[in-house]
Amino acid sequence: MSNELEFLSRRVASGKLSRRDFLGRAAALGISAPFANSLLSSAARAAGPVKGGTLKAGLVGGESTNSLDPALFMTQVPFAFGKMWGELIVELSPEGKLENRIAEEIGSSDDAKVWTLKIRDGVEFHNGKTVTAEDVAATLERHSDEKSKSGALGYMKGIETIKASGKEVVLTLKEANADLPYLLSDYHLIVQPNGGKDKADAGISAGPYKVTTNEPGVRHGGERFANYWQGDKMGHADQIEIIVINDATARTAALQGGQVNVINRVEPKIVDLIKRLPGVTIRNHAGPGHYVFIMHCNTAPFDNADLRMALKLAIDREEMLDKILRGYGSLGNDFPINASYPLFTEIEQRKYDPDKAKFHFKKSGHDGAVLLRTSDVAFPGAVDASQLFQQSAAKAGIQIELKREPGDGYWNEVWNKQPFCASYWGGRSTQDQMYSTAYLSTADWNDTRFKRPDFDKMVLAARAELDETKRKQMYHDMAVLVRDEGGLILPMFNQFIDATGAKVGGWVDDPHQELMNGYALAKCWLEA
């Protein structure tokens, strides 16, 4: 038994077996979790990372309109590339614990309204300058400014004042917020010289790689930053390269042919096929990600509550989960929170009901078809999912007209602009962050145009509530309101499904986002 576990722990250390599968096998053998984890730690120290080479990823989610301005990151490629060159104030570990990055310490007042960030000494930007408290303060100021169009703006507006003094940055909040350190892990909040106020898209921060290539929609690359403050903890390959491959078939072929070492968003329908490819490993894990159809609550005909309810009842979630995710996900219930979040509460599952859908559709007074825009880049299987939605709605007498949009430009011309479209969310670290980013009236990424003053007050009240029992009930009430009155149709929560080729070592499952929360190219290596 000991030899078997040692062998399996070495496979985890080399990235050939997931941590989850190892712990499952250990439990089956009667081994305690602490002892199993100690074996993993020993194996990781013994194996160690391998330096050198070029680690390549073929990723969906890149467009010709992408920018190096972190405030504007929306899709997978800017997200993943940003994790290569950018450095954050704080980050989440795979276990969900806070990891201090540029902030060496974070503390708060007893009422959680005043927060102090102690900035780490000796962190260097790619341009040779030292990161200061003023740079951190300027970064937060820029993302708090509506002119930045930052994806973090929704909750950054909750900060009243930002002041730098010596090695500290002091944040005074408008309302108490016990979750603030988790919010500062948002991937948009990359620390830049003078906060990016001089040149937001310069691609300069303090991450493990320096930007060498930036061809939006085509490829991005970086070389190891010799003065990276964490030393050998990340940045094992000499160079990293991201090749934009939005076509799923081409992406898989590139991995199989060895042109790339890592791919994202493997479609569930081909997972079993890919598992049979020599040297290829599927990396899948559950998390907060979800696939959605979004309606603008302030735009006809979706400004009618009965029409929205008709469409929510006209989608067959069970069928979609079975045919699109094929076991790699779970049912959604028209609110963006699942069991991966703290303080989650179950709400009665909404089911497919064509008769009730027909009733609400007739009550809405709408006559004619409803236009739904979709695209291959919206989420894996989005076009097929849209067709299933069309078919299930037809049984309720609702005609959905589909318009298949091109991938390039979808996130700039369709999402958050057109009133009914397919989309996805990767989720966030806390419920407050998810609701503040996408459901507050003032949020730039409020893609359902759910603008309700009463809901805004609920978000702020829950944010300030330190009693977990009361806060949990508040989140329950918020979820019910979004579910029943909002513009979100959420049929399923997806697993993140990536794949690695032969000789890729160092993979660690991370439930927060795909590609090890974006760090795959920085934390993995190529074995000799």
Side-chain angles (χ1 to χ4, degrees), residues 228-345:
Y228 179 52
W229 72 275
Q230 291 199 91
D232 292 338
K233 188 173 180 180
M234 286 197 286
H236 307 303
D238 291 333
Q239 296 179 324
I240 57 98
E241 183 177 7
I242 294 174
I243 303 170
V244 178
I245 311 177
N246 287 325
D247 181 78
T249 302
R251 204 161 55 250
T252 303
L255 180 67
Q256 184 178 7
Q259 285 82 33
V260 299
N261 310 107
V262 181
I263 63 173
N264 68 336
R265 290 208 168 190
V266 177
E267 294 191 340
K269 65 183 180 183
I270 64 169
V271 167
D272 290 340
L273 175 64
I274 291 183
K275 284 181 176 179
R276 296 197 292 268
L277 297 177
V280 172
T281 304
I282 289 290
R283 313 287 187 173
N284 65 289
H285 54 275
H290 45 281
Y291 298 159
V292 297
F293 300 97
I294 50 178
M295 304 174 284
H296 287 182
C297 296
N298 63 353
T299 304
F302 309 103
D303 55 350
N304 185 291
D306 281 296
L307 180 69
R308 295 198 301 271
M309 182 57 70
L311 289 168
K312 292 175 184 180
L313 293 167
I315 191 167
D316 191 335
R317 301 159 201 274
E318 296 276 4
E319 180 185 37
M320 202 168 285
L321 181 66
D322 179 57
K323 293 182 177 179
I324 302 300
L325 292 187
R326 302 188 182 213
Y328 293 95
S330 58
L331 283 178
N333 201 15
D334 298 339
F335 66 98
I337 306 300
N338 66 359
S340 66
Y341 286 91
L343 307 181
F344 168 74
T345 56

Side-chain angles (χ1 to χ4, degrees), residues 347-389:
I347 296 175
E348 182 181 359
Q349 179 64 51
R350 175 166 286 145
K351 296 180 179 180
Y352 176 49
D353 193 328
D355 291 332
K356 284 187 178 179
K358 184 180 293 185
F359 167 79
H360 283 284
F361 187 74
K362 183 178 181 180
K363 188 178 177 183
S364 75
H366 181 72
D367 184 29
V370 175
L371 178 62
L372 170 62
R373 299 171 192 268
T374 188
S375 174
D376 291 320
V377 302
F379 57 81
V383 174
D384 291 340
S386 299
Q387 291 170 345
L388 288 176
F389 191 4

Side-chain angles (χ1 to χ4, degrees), residues 48 95 109 142 167 172 206-207 242 253 267 274 304 430 483:
E95 296 77 27
S109 58
R142 188 171 80 86
K167 296 181 180 180
T172 302
I242 294 174
E267 294 191 340
I274 291 183
N304 185 291
T430 67
R483 172 184 180 270

Side-chain angles (χ1 to χ4, degrees), residues 108-174:
S108 75
S109 58
D110 290 340
D111 63 0
K113 287 191 69 174
V114 180
W115 290 83
T116 302
L117 317 178
K118 182 180 178 183
I119 306 308
R120 190 181 301 275
D121 286 329
V123 180
E124 185 178 314
F125 282 124
H126 299 147
N127 61 6
K129 295 182 179 179
T130 300
V131 178
T132 66
E134 286 75 16
D135 294 313
V136 174
T139 295
L140 297 176
E141 287 170 356
R142 188 171 80 86
H143 289 271
S144 302
D145 185 349
E146 290 192 20
K147 294 179 182 178
S148 72
K149 299 295 183 182
S150 175
L153 182 63
Y155 60 85
M156 290 299 294
K157 285 184 176 180
I159 301 177
E160 184 76 45
T161 62
I162 302 169
K163 294 182 180 180
S165 177
K167 296 181 180 180
E168 294 182 341
V169 176
V170 179
L171 309 178
T172 302
L173 311 185
K174 295 176 182 177

Side-chain angles (χ1 to χ4, degrees), residues 435 439 450 452-459 478 481-482:
Y435 285 126
Y439 297 90
F450 180 67
R452 292 277 298 265
D454 55 341
F455 182 80
D456 295 345
K457 290 178 181 178
M458 293 168 75
V459 172
M478 289 160 59
L481 188 58
V482 168

